């Protein structure tokens, strides 16, 4: 990329909700100068960013790329292009591929594919148990030696507490952490939707919130007892949020994430068996939405993560119980959170950038990427006056299983720059 001068932008950061007017000159992949009134030298591409917002690019720690094994849903190539389309320049993959990522050899395979196909950094988590079967420990030390930081059987909880405790004791001395998908399977039923008024109306056995909350409490308690660091994935209920708040007050080394869909939607949105609102943990109630938002603002939730979970149209068109759980999220997260919350002053850019850019990177042992003079270029340009329609054409994911399909929301992502590469260019 030749040099790039972005004029009249407003700069956002995790430290404040205020936007600072500045021009930004990018040279050789670095932010060479930041001040107002930078003159364009010859040969420099100039973008007039008046009214637009320049901010650190996002980082998503909960991604299902489906490769290897389910490439009809997504590949590392299509999934990372979807990330770029959503302003995300780094991802952490979940290990529930086929075969599962449970050994050093599988981690190497993922990094080989990513090295060939991805334009952004790709990190992977590794399984806690072999094949995610909950029976014996995975090749944890081999994966950790390749830089894996997050161990998880995401999609399932580890049912055997003794095994989980053993893994935590074993891994506590390494620089890694556990991530828990919390669910007591005996309570889950067919894992289709929340147990409540909607499950009763539709005549489908529901999964009660306590299925998630009991396991969450169990896992944090085990981590607290063993000294392991624990991260709680995709919290969906008020008591779940309160459980984490309580354990944090107790001094437990626990972090937690909330997904855009658990903030924005609830069981009522399922309407007439719409599988675009089917995921695990399921959407709960409007009261849970409010509690999760409160937890996000208060810092009970350290990060936002999408749980991007692509499925083919055929799979999602099956009946509500049979259709697989999960929706895509990478391409809609920033715009939907702007549309529903930031635009309405529910929270500001500072919070979003802290929870969806800086903190996820810190959790993975990486440095945040603030837009500052001398910093690496790793940013997006957002237009609050723009609009985005999430058509199949617009989206880069192989799958379009999202409630936002063909909907128009306020805001658009006009430019994504990483180092000396313009990854996305609608400026
Ligand atoms: Zn997941």
């Amino acid at each position: 990329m030749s040099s790039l001068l972005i004029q009249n932008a407003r700069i956002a950061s995790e430290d404040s909700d205020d936007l600072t007017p500045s021009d930004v000159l990018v040279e050789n992949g670095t932010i060479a100068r930041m001040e107002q009134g930078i003159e364009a030298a010859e040969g420099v591409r100039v973008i007039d960013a008046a009214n637009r917002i320049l901010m650190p690019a996002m980082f998503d720690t909960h991604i299902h790329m489906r490769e290897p094994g389910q490439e009809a849903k997504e590949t590392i190539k299509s999934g990372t292009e979807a990330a770029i389309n959503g302003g995300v320049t780094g991802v952490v993959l979940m290990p529930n591929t086929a075969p599962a990522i449970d050994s050093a050899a599988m981690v190497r395979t993922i990094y080989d594919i990513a090295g060939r196909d991805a334009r952004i950094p790709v990190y992977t988590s590794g399984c806690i148990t072999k094949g995610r079967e909950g029976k014996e420990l995975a090749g944890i030390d081999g994966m950790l030696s390749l830089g894996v930081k997050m161990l998880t059987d995401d999609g399932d909880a580890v049912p055997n507490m003794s095994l989980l405790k053993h893994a935590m004791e074993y891994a506590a001395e390494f620089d890694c952490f556990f991530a828990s998908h919390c669910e007591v399977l005996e309570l889950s039923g067919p894992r289709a939707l929340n147990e409540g008024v909607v499950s009763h109306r539709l005549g489908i056995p529901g999964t009660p919130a306590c299925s998630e909350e009991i396991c969450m409490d169990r896992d944090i308690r085990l981590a607290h007892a063993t000294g392991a660091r624990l991260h709680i994935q995709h919290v969906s209920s008020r008591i779940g949020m309160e459980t984490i708040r309580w354990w944090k007050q107790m001094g437990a080394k626990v972090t937690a994430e909330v997904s855009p869909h658990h903030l924005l939607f609830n069981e009522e949105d399922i309407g007439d068996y719409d599988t675009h609102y089917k995921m695990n943990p399921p959407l709960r109630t409007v009261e849970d939405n409010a509690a999760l938002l409160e937890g996000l603002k208060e810092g009970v939730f350290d990060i936002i993560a999408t749980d991007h979970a692509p499925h083919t149209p055929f799979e999602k068109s099956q009946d509500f119980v049979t259709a697989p759980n999960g929706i895509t999220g990478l391409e809609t997260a920033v715009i939907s959170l702007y549309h529903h919350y930031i635009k309405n002053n529910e929270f500001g850019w500072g919070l979003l950038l802290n929870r969806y850019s800086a903190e996820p990177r810190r959790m993975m042992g990486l440095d945040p990427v603030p837009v500052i003079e001398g910093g690496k270029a790793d940013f997006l340009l957002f237009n609050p006056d723009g609009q985005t329609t999430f058509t199949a054409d617009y989206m880069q994911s192989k799958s379009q299983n999202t409630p936002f399909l063909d909907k128009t929301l306020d805001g658009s992502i006009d430019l994504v720059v990483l180092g000396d590469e313009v990854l996305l260019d609608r400026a």
Side-chain angles (χ1 to χ4, degrees):
M1 168 179 96
S2 56
S3 300
L4 176 65
L5 176 60
I6 300 167
Q7 292 179 323
N8 308 311
R10 293 177 293 157
I11 314 297
S13 87
E14 66 161 326
D15 304 320
S16 155
D17 290 335
D18 297 337
L19 304 173
T20 311
S22 184
D23 296 352
V24 173
L25 177 66
V26 182
E27 283 176 341
N28 304 318
T30 299
I31 298 169
R33 275 178 74 194
M34 270 183 74
E35 59 190 293
Q36 285 181 281
I38 301 176
E39 304 254 323
E42 206 166 312
V44 173
R45 179 183 172 193
V46 178
I47 294 171
D48 182 1
N51 295 324
R52 290 189 277 185
I53 304 168
L54 196 67
M55 66 187 77
M58 307 301 158
F59 190 95
D60 202 315
T61 60
H62 194 143
I63 301 299
H64 299 272
M65 290 293 190
R66 310 302 191 196
E67 186 176 11
Q70 296 181 306
E71 287 86 349
K73 299 173 192 260
E74 194 81 289
T75 60
I76 288 177
K77 185 174 189 140
S78 64
T80 48
E81 290 304 312
I84 292 166
N85 206 26
V88 176
T89 58
V91 289
V92 183
L93 309 190
M94 290 297 115
N96 64 336
T97 47
I101 304 166
D102 61 1
S103 67
M106 279 304 298
V107 171
R108 260 192 224 104
T109 300
I110 296 299
Y111 287 153
D112 285 349
I113 299 169
R116 187 187 69 210
D117 290 348
R119 297 194 290 154
I120 57 172
V122 171
Y123 305 86
T124 187
S125 58
C127 294
I128 300 169
T129 67
K130 239 177 226 169
R132 297 173 54 255
E133 286 175 352
K135 294 189 182 130
E136 51 181 316
L137 289 187
I140 289 177
D141 49 353
M143 294 191 287
L144 297 183
S145 71
L146 291 176
V148 167
K149 291 258 182 290
M150 186 197 293
L151 297 170
T152 179
D153 277 2
D154 177 44
D156 292 295
V158 177
N160 182 331
M161 275 187 270
S162 164
L163 193 65
L164 182 59
K165 178 167 176 283
H166 184 57
M168 285 176 167
E169 283 164 346
Y170 176 72
E173 59 195 274
F174 296 95
D175 178 26
C176 69
F177 62 96
F178 289 80
S180 281
H181 167 113
C182 297
E183 183 174 16
V184 177
L185 219 47
E186 297 91 321
L187 296 172
S188 287
R191 302 170 119 180
L193 77 174
N194 183 46
E195 181 178 88
V197 287
V198 176
S199 68
H200 292 143
R201 190 177 74 223
L202 298 180
I204 303 171
T207 304
C210 69
S211 158
E212 181 184 352
E213 294 148 1
I214 290 167
C215 186
M216 186 182 299
D217 194 57
R218 180 202 81 163
D219 284 11
I220 304 175
R221 197 165 292 204
L222 272 179
H224 196 52
T226 58
R229 265 169 67 205
L230 183 69
H231 177 71
I232 302 293
Q233 299 176 302
H234 43 47
V235 179
S236 72
S237 72
R238 168 176 283 283
I239 291 180
M241 186 276 283
E242 301 280 9
T243 299
I244 293 158
R245 174 153 60 192
W246 186 83
W247 273 109
K248 283 188 165 186
Q249 283 162 1
M250 289 292 288
K253 287 187 279 180
V254 61
T255 55
E257 77 193 28
V258 65
S259 72
H261 54 258
H262 287 123
L263 288 164
L264 289 168
F265 303 120
N266 58 65
E267 59 185 2
E268 296 291 343
D269 291 303
I270 292 168
D272 198 14
Y273 306 96
D274 187 342
T275 59
H276 283 170
Y277 297 92
K278 185 187 181 203
M279 67 284 295
N280 188 22
L283 299 172
R284 308 248 184 232
T285 67
V286 69
E287 289 79 22
D288 292 304
N289 292 147
L292 296 176
L293 183 59
E294 181 190 318
L296 179 67
K297 289 186 190 174
E298 199 185 301
V300 174
F301 297 117
D302 305 82
I303 68 169
I304 294 167
T306 60
D307 195 2
H308 179 82
H311 295 292
T312 63
F314 166 74
E315 293 169 305
K316 274 294 197 183
S317 66
Q318 298 170 100
D319 71 89
F320 197 83
V321 173
T322 310
N325 281 307
I327 60 171
T328 62
L330 275 169
E331 298 178 86
T332 54
V334 171
I335 291 169
S336 63
L337 294 172
Y338 168 74
H339 180 97
H340 288 282
Y341 296 127
I342 297 176
K343 189 183 74 180
N344 302 324
N345 296 316
E346 193 65 62
F347 56 74
W349 285 108
L351 183 141
L352 183 75
L353 292 172
N354 177 264
R355 306 293 202 282
Y356 196 36
S357 176
E359 277 305 316
R361 284 184 167 90
R362 289 189 190 106
M363 190 170 92
M364 295 302 295
L366 305 168
D367 290 328
V369 293
V371 179
I372 50 171
E373 202 168 281
K376 186 188 175 189
D378 192 343
F379 58 73
L380 67 94
L381 185 64
F382 186 88
N383 185 358
D385 302 322
Q387 284 196 319
T388 302
T389 305
F390 294 104
T391 59
D393 260 3
Y394 172 89
M395 288 188 282
Q396 300 299 307
S397 170
K398 276 195 177 185
S399 296
Q400 279 91 44
N401 51 313
T402 162
F404 296 110
L405 182 61
D406 291 327
K407 301 220 166 94
T408 299
L409 299 189
D410 291 335
S412 64
I413 295 170
D414 293 356
L415 186 77
V416 178
V417 174
L418 176 61
D420 58 8
E421 222 193 320
V422 177
L423 298 178
L424 178 147
D425 196 347
R426 297 192 192 101

